[in-house]
Amino acid sequence: MPPEEPGASGLLDEVSGAERALAEAAARDRPDADGEAFFDAVIAADQKIEPRDAMPEAYRKTLVRQIAQHAHSEIIGMQPEGNWISRAPSLERKAILLSKVQDEAGHGLYLYAAAETLGVDRKDMYAQLLSGRQKYSSIFNYPTLTWADVGAIGWLVDGAAIVNQVPLCRCSYGPYARAMIRVCKEESFHQRQGFQSLYVLARGTTKQREMAQDAVNRYWYPSLAMFGPPDSDSTHSEQSMEWKIKRYTNDELRQRFVDMTVQQAGVLGLDLPDPDLAWNEERGHYDFTQPDYGELFDVIKGNGPCNRKRMEHRRRAAEDGEWVAQAAREYARKQAERTAVSV
Ligand SMILES: [Fe+2]
Ligand SMILES: [Fe+2]
């Protein structure tokens, strides 16, 4: 028996309601607690830390690193699919892809804003991305060779992102958790449009079907690698779990993704490129072949097929767009001046 699909919407239901808000207010209403005790109490009570609350420096730094990397991934992730906007096969597909890529820019915006609540400047994070000191998800260093890759990215890459991000809606840092709720709703649309696009291709001509299968073959293992190294090699996992930034380990999330995706591949009528994929009655999960983690580390180090191209593109965009940024800054300055005069 295949497992029940965990599903994004079911997990989203766990996210805060009025009761949570009341409990948070109660945790905050503790004049006796010093900073550390307050932080520990909020985490133990499974409540949210807010920007002005006391927090350990290491917690703040971990969040800055994670949220910045997440924000960079959203905007770098616009490139592989943006590559196909001008070549989408119909006006409808073009409109869908345009709005999807635009959503990713929006996700970057929410996330940079969430990171800024931790006292870092967006300009500095951006500079660290351009200098290579901060990373982005290695999945975006793979090329989009055919139109079917857009479908495979939506289905597999956005699908993996949902599995990773739904638990982040319950992350202990309030602004990150709240940004994730909106991001996950939009990611659901991304995943479905990818699935639907592949569904059509899989039922098209022989060539279209082959193109869809080839895209799935190339994106399957890099998607599995999106969950990061195995738990035995994961450096940040344990502490992040204690702080309730992370709720599940890399291996748990990877397994959840595989269990969901096998059934969806059956509906698509496409094969997943793993001959050892099999339902394990005892474990209640699918057995599968692990991705090549050597390749993952190599891509993280900068040696993926498109690392250089992605960064060159980003740097060029920063240089070419500087006049727009300058104009926006000047506009904001004038607006602030005007507001100050009228107050
Ligand atoms: Fe996104
Ligand atoms: Fe997405």
Side-chain angles (χ1 to χ4, degrees), residues 286-305:
Y286 283 95
D287 289 336
F288 62 98
T289 306
Q290 295 287 323
D292 178 351
Y293 294 111
E295 178 181 314
L296 171 67
F297 287 121
D298 211 33
V299 178
I300 291 172
K301 264 189 247 151
N303 301 322

Side-chain angles (χ1 to χ4, degrees), residues 70 73-74 100 103-105 107-108 111 140 158 161 165 183 186-187 190:
H70 195 160
S73 303
E74 299 287 355
K100 193 230 183 216
D103 278 356
E104 305 300 4
H107 296 174
L111 287 161
F140 301 119
D158 289 275
Q165 291 171 7
V183 166
E186 292 174 355
E187 295 299 359
H190 298 172

Side-chain angles (χ1 to χ4, degrees), residues 1 16 42-43 61 95 98 161 186 188 209 254 325:
M1 262 278 293
S16 62
V42 171
I43 297 292
K61 277 196 174 147
L98 258 177
E186 292 174 355
S188 281
R209 204 196 135 67
R254 191 168 6 248

